[in-house]
Amino acid sequence: MSLLLGVVCVPPAVRATDADVAVAWEYLGRHLANDALGALQKSGAPDSREAALAEAVVRIDLQPVTDAGLRKVEAQLSELARGRDEIAAAAAYLTGRLYQVHFFTPDPVRAAQIYAQLADKSPASFWAQLGLVKLMLLRLYVLPEAGDPAARVAAAGALLPRVTQPELQRDALIVLGRGRLFHGQPVAGVLADLLAADRIGGLTGLRRVELQLQIAELSRREKLWEQARVYFERYLAENEVDGRMATVKAKLAEIAAAQRAEGPSS
Amino acid sequence: MRRGKFRLMLAVFAAGYLVALWWVFTRSAPLVSARPVTIRFAHWQIEKGPPDGIRAVIRRYEELNPRVKVEQVEVPGPVYRQWVRTNLTGGTATDLMEFAYWLQGMNDVPVRYFEPLTAAMSETNPYNRGTPMEKVPWRQTFADGLYEMISQSPEIGQVYGATLSQGSSRLFCNRELLKKITGSAAPPVTLADFRTLCAQVDDYARRTGVVLRPLAGSYSNAQWLADFVMFGTLTGMSLELDREGYLARWPWQAQSDYLLGRWNYRRPEVKAGFAMLREFTQQMRPGFSQLSRDDALQEFVRGAALFIYSGTYDATSLKRLAPFPVQAMRLPQPTKDDPVVGPYVVGPYKDGYLGTSFELYLNKHSPHKAEALDFLRFLTSVEGGQLFMDHSGWLSSVRGVKVPPEMEIYRGSMDGHSAGPQYMGVGPYSTMAFWQHLNLLVGPQGSVDKFVEALENGMRKQVTEDARVQIRTDLEAIRAVDTEIAAMNALNRLQAPDPARALRQHALASNQTVAEINEGQAAWVLQRHGYRQP
C-alpha cells in the first residue's frame, strides 16, 4: 500500500526548461547563487547540458566555497567539456579558471595546458579566445618555464595572432604592451601594441582614459611630440572630471616648448 | 430651557464627530499603516547636519510616495564596518547602505551583496523632470560623474552606488579671535603668512596668559593635515615613479615600488614632508595624538584654538556649536620657495577632494529593491540634493543644486596636480606602522630621523603583508567575475541576443583581464624579488 502511495505521489519527471535555466543564469549574473540553485532545483535535477553547466557555475559561486566542492565542480565541468559545442568550450575554459585562480592552491601549468588544448579544439570560440588571453598572462607572469623576461614577452606575443575576436584582440594587445613595459622591453614595442589596441577601440570610462594617457605620456618620453599632443588633447576633450588634467596641461606646455625649440621640422 | 441645552450639546457633539471624521480620513495617520512598504537606509554620517538633511528628503519623498515609509538608521562610525559585515552575512541588512571602497577588508562586499547600478545610471533620473538635468543620464548628474567611485570599484567599470555629498579639508577660523590677535580678519594668503600668524598666536597667548594654540589638535586632524602636506610634497616623487605613463600612482603600485627599492622613507622629499608635518603639528596642543576629533572640535568652539583643520563634513557642527562666526578658508599650499619642502614642490596641487562621496549602495537581497532604488533616485535628484544641502549644510553631489556663496569654498579645485598617494603607509599594515610610530616625529623629543629609522626598521615586512592582502582581495574580485561572464554568455545563447548584454560580457572580460595584469605584476614582485609567495 505504502509503495503504491509512493508511486502515486512521485511527481512526474520535470525537465529543467531553457526558461528555468535562463532564470538561474539571471540570478548568477547578480551573484545570487542560492536563488540560482533554487531556480534549477525547482524543476528537478539538471537534465540538460545547459542546466548542468549552470549548476556547476552556481557551485563555483555558492558560499562557503571549499576546495572539495570545487573538485566536484571540476568533475562536472570535465564531463561537459567532452562535447564540441559552446557549452563544452565554456566548461573547458572554466576548468582552466579553476586551476588558475579558484583552487586554494592554483596549478598554473595545468591551467595553461587546458587553455592551449581548448584553443586547438575550438579556435574560434569566445572561450578559447579568452583562454588565450589568460594564457598570455600566465606566460608573462606565472609559468615557471617561460624563461627570462624577453622570452616571456616573446612567448606571450606568439599567441597574439591566434586571438582574432576584436575585443579580445584589443585586450591581448594591452596585456602584451603592459607586459613589455613591466619586463623592461623597448618602449617602441609597447607603444605599437597600445596604439593597435586603441585602433580597435571600444573601451569606455577609466580604461579608455588610461590607454589615452599611457600612449600620450610614453610618446612624450620617446619625443614623439605630435603623437603625444594628439592623445593628451583627446584626453582633455573627453574628460570633464579627472584629477590629472592639470598635469596633462603642464605636459602639453612642455611639448609645445620642445616643438618650438626643435623648430618647424619637428 | 433644559431641552434647548440638550439640543445644543447634541449639535456640538455632532459637529465634533464630523470634524473627527474629516480629520481621520484626510489628515491624521491611520491606525493601520497606509504605507505597505518600509525601506531602511543606514549610514554613519551622524555628525550635526546629515541626519537633518536626510530627514528633510524623506519627508518630501513620503509626501510624493504615500505607499512607502523610509527609516533612517544612524550607526556610529567606529562599529560601522562590523555592523555592515554582520548584517549582510545574517541577511538583516538595510535596503540602502552607506559603504566606501576604503573600508579595510571589505573589497568582496560590493560584488557579493550590492546590486550593480550600471544600467540604471545610464538612464535619466525621473525625479529630475523639469530641471536642467532632465535629459542627462543619472551618472552624469553627479558633479564628478561618479569618477572616483568607479575608479575604485572592485569590478573595474562597474557602478555599484550613488553619492550624496562632496567636500574637502579646509581651515576653519575663529574670525573674532583672528581680529583680536592681528587687528584684521584677513585670512593668510601664503604659507609664510600662516607661519607668521602662528607666531602671533603664540605671542598673544604668552602676553595675555590665555590658553591658546594656533591649531586645534587631535589624531584625526593631524592625519588630515598630514594628507595635505605629504600629498603636495610627494607629487614629484609619484610622477618620477610612474613608469607606466598614467601620470598617477596608486597605493598598490607604491607597494611594488617600495619592494623593488624605488622609494623609501629616507628619500629627501619624504623627509622634507615629515619636517613640515612636525612643524605643523607643533602648532597643536601637546598630546594631541591621544585626542579624538571631538576633542579638537571642543577645543576650537571654546576658543582655545584659532584654527581647526578639518573636513567640510565638520562645518555644520562647527557653525552650530561655536558661539562665534566661523569662516572656512583654504590652507595656503607650499610653493617652490618654501624653506622646508620648496625644492620638491612641482606646482600647485589638488586642494580638496575632486570626487563625490557619502556613497550609498543598494542591497541586492532587499525585499523592496524597486522602492529603494526609487528613493535613491529622489535622494540624488536636483530636488533631493537641494533639500539635503539646505538642511545638512553639506555640499550636495548633484549638479544643478544651487550652492550658497559661503559654501563654494568647500569644493575641491581642479587646477592642481593630483598624482598619487601620500605614502603614509601604502596598505593596512604599513599605515598602522606609520601612525604607531608617529609620536617619534611629533612628540617633544621627536625628530624626522628617529621617525624614519623606526619606520624603515620593519617596513619591508609591513609592505609585503600589504601586497599579500592586496593580491588576496584582488583575486576575490577577479574570481567573482567568472560567474558573471558565464551568465552573460549563457543568456545570449538561451534568449534573443541582446547587444547590451554582449557589450557587458566583453566589458567584464576586459576589466577582469586588466585586474589580472595588476595582480600578476604584484605577485611577480613578491615571488621574484625574495618576498614570500602570496
Side-chain angles (χ1 to χ4, degrees):
Chain A
M1 180 64 191
S2 61
L3 185 68
L4 182 66
L5 196 64
V7 170
V8 170
C9 291
V10 167
V14 180
R15 210 180 137 75
T17 63
D18 283 355
D20 296 326
V21 180
V23 170
W25 281 118
E26 292 276 6
Y27 281 127
L28 271 172
R30 290 159 49 210
H31 291 283
L32 297 170
N34 280 312
D35 296 319
L37 191 61
L40 286 172
Q41 289 177 341
K42 196 174 67 181
S43 45
D47 52 4
S48 70
R49 287 171 61 73
E50 282 289 357
L53 179 66
E55 201 202 322
V57 178
V58 166
R59 306 243 175 238
I60 294 177
D61 213 31
L62 198 63
Q63 299 295 321
V65 177
T66 63
D67 239 14
L70 291 177
R71 292 286 164 200
K72 286 182 191 160
V73 172
E74 187 206 351
Q76 281 177 285
L77 290 174
S78 299
E79 188 62 35
L80 287 167
R82 289 204 181 122
R84 296 199 74 84
D85 55 2
E86 181 76 359
I87 291 173
Y93 171 81
L94 290 166
T95 308
R97 293 298 284 170
L98 288 180
Y99 281 106
Q100 189 181 356
V101 293
H102 289 272
F103 282 133
F104 292 177
T105 307
D107 183 347
V109 176
R110 182 85 186 99
Q113 284 167 353
I114 293 168
Y115 294 142
Q117 284 164 4
L118 176 60
D120 290 341
K121 186 176 160 188
S122 316
S125 146
F126 166 79
W127 298 108
Q129 299 263 301
L130 184 56
L132 285 171
V133 177
K134 306 299 181 187
L135 184 53
M136 289 174 82
L137 285 164
L138 288 172
R139 288 187 178 177
L140 280 167
Y141 304 113
V142 186
L143 290 176
E145 81 283 9
D148 65 22
R152 285 181 178 277
V153 171
L159 297 172
L160 188 61
R162 299 174 68 187
V163 185
T164 52
Q165 289 195 9
E167 294 89 349
L168 295 174
Q169 193 181 51
R170 176 200 62 213
D171 295 345
L173 283 160
I174 292 172
V175 167
L176 191 59
R178 287 194 53 189
R180 284 186 208 278
L181 197 58
F182 181 78
H183 286 308
Q185 303 298 298
V187 172
V190 178
L191 273 172
D193 291 334
L194 299 182
L195 285 163
D198 183 56
R199 279 194 292 275
I200 294 171
L203 290 178
T204 55
L206 193 62
R207 295 281 318 284
R208 182 171 169 79
V209 167
E210 294 195 333
L211 185 62
Q212 285 173 343
L213 282 179
Q214 216 171 4
I215 293 173
E217 177 60 4
L218 295 178
S219 300
R220 188 192 69 79
R221 291 176 194 172
E222 292 292 291
K223 296 189 167 40
L224 299 168
W225 306 125
E226 201 46 32
Q227 187 165 286
R229 187 186 63 75
V230 166
Y231 275 89
F232 275 138
E233 284 181 350
R234 195 182 292 177
Y235 158 86
L236 284 179
E238 290 183 15
N239 289 284
E240 272 183 47
V241 182
D242 187 278
R244 292 165 281 193
M245 290 201 298
T247 310
V248 166
K249 286 174 187 164
K251 298 283 179 189
L252 276 169
E254 281 176 37
I255 291 168
Q259 284 183 308
R260 272 197 305 277
E262 287 180 8
S265 62
S266 65
Chain B
M1 181 67 190
R2 202 178 232 190
R3 182 176 285 181
K5 204 170 179 183
F6 176 73
R7 279 186 184 156
L8 183 66
M9 280 173 63
L10 199 65
V12 168
F13 177 77
Y17 183 73
L18 286 173
V19 169
L21 273 182
W22 171 79
W23 184 263
V24 165
F25 284 104
T26 61
R27 292 293 175 92
S28 71
L31 291 175
V32 177
S33 173
R35 297 176 186 270
V37 174
T38 298
I39 55 175
R40 293 184 306 137
F41 160 35
H43 65 90
W44 73 76
Q45 310 297 346
I46 57 175
E47 299 93 338
K48 289 204 182 300
D52 300 339
I54 292 164
R55 218 166 285 130
V57 179
I58 290 173
R59 220 167 18 243
R60 175 66 179 140
Y61 181 78
E62 288 182 343
E63 276 175 22
L64 296 171
N65 296 276
R67 282 184 63 249
V68 183
K69 177 176 169 56
V70 185
E71 287 177 359
Q72 180 175 197
V73 181
E74 297 168 33
V75 184
V79 299
Y80 195 81
R81 204 160 54 102
Q82 295 85 334
W83 186 90
V84 164
R85 176 69 78 184
T86 310
N87 283 283
L88 284 173
T89 311
T92 52
T94 53
D95 306 274
L96 289 166
M97 326 182 70
E98 184 178 9
F99 185 80
Y101 66 88
W102 44 262
L103 289 173
Q104 286 177 359
M106 305 282 272
N107 273 19
D108 62 310
V109 165
V111 174
R112 295 218 172 278
Y113 298 106
F114 296 144
E115 187 74 31
L117 300 179
T118 316
M121 282 292 169
S122 62
E123 297 162 2
T124 55
N125 181 346
Y127 286 108
N128 279 335
R129 224 163 276 145
T131 75
M133 297 293 115
E134 179 172 358
K135 291 184 177 157
V136 179
W138 189 15
R139 187 185 140 193
Q140 298 304 329
T141 63
F142 296 92
D144 65 342
L146 297 181
Y147 174 85
E148 187 81 8
M149 176 191 276
I150 294 166
S151 67
Q152 303 292 345
S153 172
E155 191 191 322
I156 301 173
Q158 186 76 282
V159 186
Y160 273 102
T163 55
L164 191 50
S165 183
Q166 56 181 318
S168 294
S169 290
R170 291 288 175 257
L171 196 61
F172 293 91
C173 174
N174 178 339
R175 283 187 61 190
E176 283 176 357
L177 194 56
L178 178 66
K179 204 166 177 188
K180 200 185 280 183
I181 295 168
T182 66
S184 155
V189 176
T190 66
L191 204 51
D193 294 344
F194 182 72
R195 285 183 170 114
T196 306
L197 199 48
C198 289
Q200 283 177 294
V201 172
D202 288 342
D203 181 57
Y204 176 85
R206 239 185 334 269
R207 278 190 288 110
T208 57
V210 297
V211 177
L212 180 65
R213 309 290 305 183
L215 283 167
S218 83
Y219 176 84
S220 298
N221 297 78
Q223 247 179 331
W224 300 321
L225 204 52
D227 280 347
F228 175 86
V229 170
M230 300 306 286
F231 190 83
T233 311
L234 299 181
T235 294
M237 186 171 96
S238 289
L239 291 173
E240 181 202 309
L241 294 172
D242 170 35
R243 294 167 71 236
E244 291 83 358
Y246 294 132
L247 303 183
R249 216 74 193 139
W250 284 276
W252 61 268
Q253 293 174 308
Q255 290 165 3
S256 291
D257 290 336
Y258 185 89
L259 296 176
L260 291 170
R262 291 184 184 140
W263 72 277
N264 61 38
Y265 289 100
R266 294 190 181 99
R267 279 182 66 135
E269 57 270 67
V270 182
K271 290 174 86 168
F274 289 160
M276 181 171 267
L277 181 56
R278 178 170 162 79
E279 180 194 347
F280 273 19
T281 52
Q282 283 184 330
Q283 310 308 320
M284 295 177 171
R285 61 176 149 164
F288 70 85
S289 60
Q290 305 302 316
L291 301 173
S292 74
R293 176 178 160 193
D294 282 344
D295 294 317
L297 199 137
Q298 283 166 24
E299 184 186 2
F300 178 75
V301 298
R302 68 169 183 265
L306 176 60
F307 296 111
I308 182 169
Y309 187 71
S310 189
T312 51
Y313 35 76
D314 272 341
T316 307
S317 301
L318 291 167
K319 286 181 178 170
R320 287 189 191 173
L321 296 172
F324 47 78
V326 177
Q327 185 184 353
M329 53 183 72
R330 292 175 194 275
L331 180 58
Q333 293 191 348
T335 47
K336 290 184 179 184
D337 57 357
D338 187 89
V340 183
V341 300
Y344 311 107
V345 171
V346 175
Y349 54 96
K350 81 164 182 182
D351 190 2
Y353 313 122
L354 302 177
T356 55
S357 54
F358 199 161
E359 301 169 20
L360 307 169
Y361 293 73
L362 176 59
N363 179 356
K364 72 164 71 162
H365 298 286
S366 158
H368 305 299
K369 228 176 321 186
E371 289 85 355
L373 179 61
D374 190 65
F375 174 66
L376 189 58
R377 284 189 172 119
F378 181 70
L379 187 59
T380 58
S381 66
V382 173
E383 184 185 357
Q386 191 75 57
L387 280 167
F388 173 74
M389 196 180 74
D390 292 348
H391 290 81
S392 67
W394 282 28
L395 207 55
S396 167
S397 61
V398 181
R399 289 165 60 201
V401 169
K402 290 190 180 73
V403 179
E406 69 274 14
M407 283 176 74
E408 280 292 344
I409 197 164
Y410 296 178
R411 289 187 201 272
S413 72
M414 298 282 288
D415 53 356
H417 294 286
S418 173
Q422 292 88 336
Y423 299 90
M424 297 179 299
V426 288
Y429 287 92
S430 56
T431 301
M432 194 186 295
F434 184 95
W435 293 102
Q436 277 173 346
H437 288 110
L438 190 69
N439 63 310
L440 295 174
L441 175 69
V442 302
Q445 308 303 319
S447 76
V448 171
D449 288 332
K450 275 186 201 168
F451 179 54
V452 165
E453 289 317 308
L455 269 187
E456 280 297 327
N457 180 21
M459 186 50 77
R460 228 155 247 282
K461 186 169 172 250
Q462 311 297 350
V463 177
T464 303
E465 289 304 317
D466 286 341
R468 295 183 70 206
V469 170
Q470 183 74 44
I471 289 170
R472 197 166 58 237
T473 50
D474 284 352
L475 274 172
E476 277 170 20
I478 286 166
R479 287 185 196 114
V481 179
D482 281 338
T483 312
E484 287 179 73
I485 296 172
M488 295 303 121
N489 188 269
L491 287 168
N492 264 354
R493 195 167 58 237
L494 291 166
Q495 299 176 339
D498 175 357
R501 198 190 285 134
L503 205 64
R504 171 138 180 77
Q505 179 187 329
H506 283 294
L508 284 165
S510 186
N511 294 336
Q512 185 196 47
T513 295
V514 169
E516 286 184 81
I517 298 175
N518 299 340
E519 183 273 329
Q521 294 184 348
W524 171 281
V525 171
L526 280 190
Q527 289 169 8
R528 309 284 166 150
H529 291 268
Y531 302 99
R532 277 178 291 156
Q533 295 229 344

